Amino acid sequence: MAQCVAGKDVFVSYGREESVKKFVRKLKLDLETQQISVWLDVEDIHAGTEWPKEIGIALRECKALIPVVTKKYVSSQYCKSELYVARSYEKPIFPVIHEDGWRESDDGEGVNFMIAAANWAFFRPDDDYGASLQRLVEGLKGLERGKELRSSLEGSGNEIKKEQDPMDSLTGQPFSPDSKPHNQTWAEPTPPTGLLDEPRPKPAAPTTSCATADHKYETTTRKKKCSIDPQCRQFIRLILKLSSILSRDPESDALVLGRMKLSLAILKGQDESTAID
């Protein structure tokens, strides 16, 4: 049994008004003169075939959809189904506006939602048919050129071999960090000469240790011997001790100062009675 001719450039979806049928036939002839093949139900669905099946195949195989939008079109369930199926296949949509007033109904808003993003071609009775046809043809051919360009780029991309590491081209084996080039030996590294050969001083041991239990520092660095006179050192110790007494009992300042004078006199070798006076 004969099958419909699928896989054509464009699928024309339209209502069944007589004026629209005449327009669609004329549009089909004009597009075919520009080497754009057109699928039209009245010509491509043969007798004895299941027309819903043939329409579905044609929508799947076409490259673009041309909905001829009229008031009848937006109210036809079959026309809207063709538009929705084409959109589900992500087919490019080239809306042809053949009549005004089609957006006044809720159905018209649904169709408008589906075609709003596309660039419309106006073929209303008062529009310039030739200029509109030229814009439509340019759009369809631009779509075809874009597909050819993408196909050529994909084909050339498949021919480009994956770039290999230079090591792989020499060994013919997958690259491995431990592999060596074919017929090539690696020389052992030569030890450095000159100043680098001299032994380096070991780092000094740390001079402080940290007690982690009570967080106190214990200094291990040896202190240099002090050159202060022993008597002066003793006097300094006494001053520090008396200073602690002053901080504890401020009221005994006079007594502390007297002891300080006595200590200073002893250090100087004076008599205690003289120091007290």
Side-chain angles (χ1 to χ4, degrees):
M1 190 172 291
Q3 299 293 322
C4 74
V5 180
K8 293 191 176 181
D9 293 331
V10 295
F11 181 109
V12 177
S13 175
Y14 64 100
R16 290 292 179 171
E17 305 98 318
E18 289 299 324
S19 60
V20 176
K21 288 181 181 179
K22 294 179 181 179
F23 166 76
V24 167
R25 291 181 184 273
K26 175 176 173 55
L27 181 64
K28 179 180 184 294
L29 293 175
D30 291 336
L31 291 177
E32 288 179 343
T33 58
Q34 299 292 330
Q35 289 74 48
I36 299 174
S37 58
V38 178
W39 191 94
L40 204 59
D41 57 351
V42 294
E43 297 183 3
D44 293 301
I45 297 180
H46 302 284
T49 59
E50 298 179 13
W51 63 268
K53 175 183 176 182
E54 300 303 317
I55 290 176
I57 295 174
L59 285 169
R60 184 190 65 196
E61 300 297 329
C62 71
K63 299 177 182 177
L65 177 78
I66 295 180
V68 181
V69 182
T70 60
K71 295 178 182 178
K72 178 72 174 178
Y73 184 89
V74 300
S75 63
S76 170
Q77 188 63 40
Y78 292 110
C79 293
K80 290 186 292 184
S81 296
E82 292 170 353
L83 177 61
Y84 299 157
V85 170
R87 178 62 73 184
S88 69
Y89 283 133
E90 298 183 353
K91 302 293 183 179
I93 308 295
F94 291 83
V96 167
I97 309 301
H98 188 63
E99 185 180 21
D100 290 326
W102 55 272
R103 282 187 289 185
E104 296 175 358
S105 63
D106 293 339
D107 292 331
E109 289 300 330
V111 172
N112 181 53
F113 175 78
M114 298 299 293
I115 67 175
N119 191 17
W120 299 356
F122 292 92
F123 285 85
R124 296 164 299 188
D126 295 336
D127 293 321
D128 187 341
Y129 179 89
S132 298
L133 178 64
Q134 182 179 357
R135 287 193 294 270
L136 180 60
V137 170
E138 290 175 354
L140 292 169
K141 288 189 174 181
L143 173 66
E144 186 64 26
R145 286 193 297 269
K147 288 185 176 181
E148 291 177 356
L149 178 60
R150 286 193 295 272
S151 299
S152 62
L153 291 176
E154 291 174 359
S156 61
N158 293 332
E159 294 175 359
I160 298 176
K161 296 181 180 179
K162 183 181 179 181
E163 183 178 358
Q164 297 182 348
D165 192 278
M167 185 70 72
D168 295 343
S169 63
L170 293 173
T171 61
Q173 300 296 330
F175 175 76
S176 172
D178 299 329
S179 62
K180 297 182 179 181
H182 184 61
N183 294 334
Q184 182 177 349
T185 58
W186 290 349
E188 294 298 330
T190 303
T193 59
L195 295 177
L196 295 179
D197 292 338
E198 299 179 0
R200 297 183 181 180
K202 295 183 179 181
T207 58
T208 59
S209 61
C210 179
T212 58
D214 56 359
H215 303 284
K216 294 182 179 180
Y217 271 157
E218 180 182 354
T219 303
T220 60
T221 304
R222 292 185 176 181
K223 299 181 179 179
K224 295 183 179 180
K225 293 184 178 180
C226 183
S227 60
I228 302 175
D229 185 80
Q231 292 182 349
C232 293
R233 191 182 303 114
Q234 184 180 3
F235 178 71
I236 292 173
R237 291 196 190 100
L238 179 61
I239 293 298
L240 294 175
K241 185 175 181 179
L242 294 176
S243 298
S244 63
I245 296 175
L246 285 174
S247 61
R248 295 174 187 173
D249 188 6
E251 297 180 358
S252 61
D253 291 352
L255 177 61
V256 171
L257 292 175
R259 291 180 180 178
M260 290 175 64
K261 290 181 179 180
L262 178 60
S263 300
L264 181 58
I266 293 172
L267 290 174
K268 293 181 178 180
Q270 298 177 359
D271 183 65
E272 293 184 8
S273 58
T274 306
I276 293 174
D277 294 338

